């Protein structure tokens, strides 16, 4: 589970970088290097509860709900198969 948590936390790195870059480039935010580092750490640490919540939902969901495409894809496929062909 630790590997999956780290994967979830690595995925947010580009988003954090985009927020910090937007602050620096668009709004001309200037901070001391220590402040930038502390903001990065705090933003990254703030993703931990959401990562764990997502993992918990994934592990508690039935296997049929976590398949590729999810239930919506299966519903669409079933609806298409059940549709009248028009050649009555």
């Amino acid at each position: 589970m630790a590997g999956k948590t780290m994967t979830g936390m690595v995925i947010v790195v580009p988003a954090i970088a985009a927020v910090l870059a937007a602050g620096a480039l668009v709004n001309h935010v200037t901070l001391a290097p220590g402040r930038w580092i502390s903001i990065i750490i705090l933003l990254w640490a703030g993703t931990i509860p959401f990562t764990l919540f997502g993992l918990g939902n994934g592990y508690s969901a039935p296997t049929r709900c976590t398949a590729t495409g999810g239930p919506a894809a299966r519903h669409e496929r079933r609806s298409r198969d059940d549709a009248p062909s028009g050649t009555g």
Side-chain angles (χ1 to χ4, degrees):
M1 186 162 143
K4 291 183 181 187
T5 304
M6 284 303 293
T7 302
M9 291 177 64
V10 169
I11 289 173
V12 300
V13 170
I16 292 172
V19 168
L20 297 178
L25 299 173
V26 175
N27 295 324
H28 308 291
V29 175
T30 55
L31 297 173
R35 289 277 184 146
W36 285 110
I37 292 171
S38 65
I39 289 172
I40 292 169
I41 291 170
L42 288 172
L43 285 174
W44 199 48
T47 65
I48 293 172
F50 299 102
T51 303
L52 294 175
F53 182 71
L55 282 171
N57 282 340
Y59 280 120
S60 66
T63 305
R64 62 184 173 82
C65 291
T66 58
T68 305
R74 277 193 295 285
H75 175 69
E76 179 182 328
R77 223 179 10 249
R78 187 173 39 244
S79 297
R80 230 182 342 193
D81 292 343
D82 294 342
S85 60
T87 58

